[in-house]
Amino acid sequence: MRANNLTLLTDLYELTMMQGYFKNPTDQTVVFDMFYRDNPCGGAFAICAGLEQMIEYIENLHFTKEDIDYLRNLHLFEEDFLEYLSNFHFTGDIYAIPEGTVIFPREPMVKVIAPIMEAQLVETAILNIINHQSLIATKAARVCYAAKGDGIMEFGLRRAQGPDAGIFGARAAVIGGCIGTSCVLTGQMFDVPVLGTHAHSWIMSFPDEYTAFKTYAKLYPNACILLVDTYDVLKSGVPNAIRVFEEMREEGIPLTRYGIRIDSGDLAYLSKEAYKMLAAAGFDDATISASSDLDEYLIESLKAQDAKINSWGVGTRLITANDNPAFGGVYKLSAVRDPETQEFIPKIKLSENTAKVTNPGNKTVYRIYSKSTGKIKADLICLAHEKLDENDTMIIFDPVDTWKKTKVLGGTYQLRELLVPVIREGRRVYTSPSVMELRDICLKEQETLWDESRRFVNPQKVYVDLSPKLYTMKKELIEEMSQKDLDF
């Protein structure tokens, strides 16, 4: 499961189309955009994640002898095409929005510029890798926001949809803001903190709860979080925990990282009562951790109830993003390079569903920040060759509801181009930060959002507009294609 060669992690039709292109030779270099249409979980933004694994996939893209033999046995592919595949490697360019960045619908997260066969092959794996990690990072960001600075431990491995989802989901969750994970393999692979306490079975394996707590405290005096809901939280669990903490104090053992965890029942009531008991015994600084099918909505509710919880373990609903289990990213052709002029010819996909009409051309994305607040004003999708000047006054407008316009005065804003080169002529040109560095980046990124865009109910959407040149191009292409339909 840790093999680097994921070349056959693709849909069959990518390969059948490749053979079609091979049998009908073309010198086409194309542009594909990966983007998504709707924010996950009813929110106003998403978090980009998975780029490092996407780059690794591209770097290791090759067909082994076993791959070729397998494809031959499908009786779909001819020998000259299989011979081509045996020497295949990616030669194109890829641009991407860095991991941890706040992103919005319709803007390219990944842009692939490559010969059409190469660009076609990588579609499925790019979507698989980026969709999954971006979804979990986004969910984690929401959960962490609800916790208002309390630590969130990701511990959904046993409920994840398979080992890869657990490993890379945990990676994405840390990028999104979690302080660590229970997944030891993720800790090893990505150098992130691994965290955990003990299970109910630990308590049940001893003659009584006190003995179980005492034994655990001797083993881990500097990480002594005791699970108190095996029998009765307030009548048994907390009193026995207090007894152990008092003995540790009497023995001169520093109580540096200690406390209780509650995994069931009315978490608001139990935590408040437990805090009273702990404080009365002189342990008002003890950690009170909670788990039990938590998500951002339950954490927000518990906060509103003044629950005395300052550490959270979030598993199933985070690692599966249970209320929105798919990110919905798509990969669409947007331009074809003319082999004679080397100019990109824009392409567009039409649909009766307005949201599914694509943005044509070779594009880039600029983020517009307010100089006075540092907050995001809007994102602007432009043609790649367009040059913007921060001293110019801009009129930005919604590409669907065009009457929604905003004037951005020159000198009042700053621009940042979001897409950066990560692959040039098939070779990596980008160094990914560590996962913990990405977590810091992501936290800073979220600070550029207005609070109104971070709330869970009816959040204020951030505008993603088209430059006038791109808007005009799109409008002309729609009219041109519509006229062709009328002529037909």
Side-chain angles (χ1 to χ4, degrees):
M1 287 181 289
R2 296 174 71 180
N4 288 324
N5 183 22
L6 300 176
T7 304
L8 292 188
L9 185 69
T10 191
D11 292 305
L12 179 62
Y13 80 167
E14 311 289 15
L15 291 164
T16 56
M17 284 189 288
M18 282 182 73
Q19 179 165 250
Y21 296 132
F22 181 81
K23 291 294 184 179
N24 297 274
T26 175
D27 189 27
Q28 282 189 332
T29 293
V30 297
V31 179
F32 273 90
D33 297 326
M34 185 208 162
F35 60 94
Y36 71 101
R37 297 188 180 103
D38 297 299
N39 288 309
C41 309
F45 67 93
I47 301 295
C48 188
L51 176 59
E52 173 62 16
Q53 283 66 52
M54 186 203 80
I55 294 172
E56 290 174 355
Y57 157 74
I58 296 293
E59 286 184 303
N60 289 286
L61 198 58
H62 68 283
F63 291 85
T64 66
K65 181 180 182 300
E66 291 75 17
D67 295 337
I68 299 299
D69 289 343
Y70 170 75
L71 294 176
R72 180 179 290 112
N73 289 333
L74 293 178
H75 304 295
L76 290 171
F77 304 106
E78 298 183 15
E79 284 300 319
D80 55 350
F81 177 62
L82 294 174
E83 177 64 24
Y84 162 77
L85 291 183
S86 68
N87 296 300
F88 177 89
H89 63 280
F90 186 82
T91 65
D93 300 337
I94 299 180
Y95 297 78
I97 296 178
E99 291 187 271
T101 304
V102 166
I103 51 175
F104 307 111
R106 299 185 301 279
E107 58 194 23
M109 302 167 61
V110 178
K111 180 174 72 171
V112 176
I113 305 177
I116 192 165
M117 284 195 287
E118 299 176 24
Q120 198 76 71
L121 175 64
V122 300
E123 172 182 4
T124 304
I126 287 177
L127 289 171
N128 176 275
I129 294 166
I130 300 294
N131 275 338
H132 174 245
Q133 289 202 50
S134 296
L135 175 67
I136 305 304
T138 303
K139 185 69 172 179
R142 292 168 59 84
V143 171
C144 293
Y145 182 67
K148 302 301 181 188
D150 295 343
I152 300 287
M153 180 184 77
E154 183 285 316
F155 71 137
L157 177 59
R158 62 191 60 192
R159 303 287 175 80
Q161 284 97 342
D164 280 353
I167 294 165
F168 295 105
R171 176 187 187 272
V174 173
I175 291 173
C178 292
I179 61 172
T181 176
S182 67
C183 180
V184 179
L185 184 52
T186 297
Q188 179 197 41
M189 291 172 65
F190 303 112
D191 193 26
V192 301
V194 288
L195 304 168
T197 56
H198 60 78
H200 295 105
S201 58
W202 172 267
I203 308 297
M204 296 162 65
S205 69
F206 285 84
D208 57 74
E209 191 174 50
Y210 164 72
T211 303
F213 285 172
K214 182 69 173 176
T215 304
Y216 192 83
K218 285 184 177 179
L219 285 169
Y220 308 107
N222 298 317
C224 186
I225 306 295
L226 303 175
L227 181 60
V228 296
D229 73 321
T230 303
Y231 303 122
D232 188 294
V233 173
L234 301 179
K235 292 180 180 179
S236 173
V238 176
N240 279 320
I242 289 173
R243 181 181 173 188
V244 170
F245 298 152
E246 287 175 336
E247 291 173 356
M248 293 173 70
R249 184 168 57 189
E250 290 170 3
E251 294 171 18
I253 299 172
L255 294 170
T256 54
R257 183 168 169 258
Y258 77 107
I260 63 171
R261 177 164 72 95
I262 307 171
D263 189 49
S264 60
D266 186 329
L267 298 178
Y269 170 75
L270 292 173
S271 67
K272 286 187 276 190
E273 293 300 309
Y275 176 76
K276 291 177 185 176
M277 297 167 68
L278 288 162
F283 301 112
D284 58 334
D285 63 341
T287 295
I288 300 180
S289 180
S291 45
S292 186
D293 287 331
L294 298 171
D295 62 11
E296 66 268 43
Y297 301 105
L298 184 50
I299 292 173
E300 185 176 54
S301 174
L302 289 166
K303 284 285 188 183
Q305 297 171 67
D306 196 30
K308 298 300 182 182
I309 299 166
N310 51 25
S311 175
W312 310 81
V314 186
T316 304
R317 296 186 181 185
L318 168 53
I319 203 65
T320 64
N322 72 312
D323 58 335
N324 193 137
F327 189 72
V330 296
Y331 186 86
K332 299 297 181 183
L333 179 70
S334 62
V336 175
R337 180 180 284 160
D338 185 313
E340 294 184 4
T341 67
Q342 296 298 301
E343 297 291 327
F344 280 106
I345 302 168
K347 298 289 182 178
I348 192 169
K349 175 191 176 296
L350 299 184
S351 172
E352 292 184 4
N353 183 341
T354 304
K356 290 193 173 185
V357 177
T358 60
N359 290 320
N362 180 20
K363 301 175 294 296
T364 191
V365 185
Y366 283 94
R367 179 150 294 166
I368 306 170
Y369 298 94
S370 167
K371 268 190 177 180
S372 60
T373 66
K375 303 291 187 182
I376 299 171
K377 294 183 70 69
D379 277 6
L380 191 64
I381 307 176
C382 309
L383 295 171
H385 64 265
E386 289 190 65
K387 301 298 181 186
L388 304 182
D389 188 335
E390 295 175 354
N391 294 312
D392 292 341
T393 294
M394 292 193 295
I395 303 294
I396 57 176
F397 59 91
D398 188 291
V400 178
D401 301 321
T402 55
W403 53 271
K404 295 180 180 178
K405 297 182 180 181
T406 301
K407 179 182 285 188
V408 185
L409 296 175
T412 67
Y413 63 90
Q414 293 178 313
L415 293 171
R416 171 190 166 201
E417 188 170 6
L418 297 185
L419 286 169
V420 300
V422 297
I423 298 286
R424 291 276 201 195
E425 297 180 351
R427 296 183 180 276
R428 177 198 285 261
V429 294
Y430 178 81
T431 301
S432 293
S434 71
V435 172
M436 297 308 290
E437 289 170 336
L438 289 171
R439 178 181 182 272
D440 292 340
I441 289 168
C442 186
L443 292 173
K444 290 177 182 177
E445 277 283 309
Q446 291 174 73
E447 291 300 317
T448 65
L449 291 164
W450 296 93
D451 289 342
E452 291 82 355
S453 294
R454 301 184 75 180
R455 66 187 178 221
F456 302 138
V457 178
N458 193 29
Q460 175 62 43
K461 301 295 172 62
V462 177
Y463 292 115
V464 178
D465 300 330
L466 306 184
S467 71
K469 289 183 179 179
L470 178 55
Y471 176 78
T472 300
M473 173 192 285
K474 182 175 183 177
K475 184 178 178 183
E476 289 175 350
L477 277 174
I478 291 172
E479 291 174 353
E480 178 185 333
M481 299 304 293
S482 299
Q483 186 60 47
K484 285 182 179 179
D485 288 341
L486 290 174
D487 293 342
F488 180 77

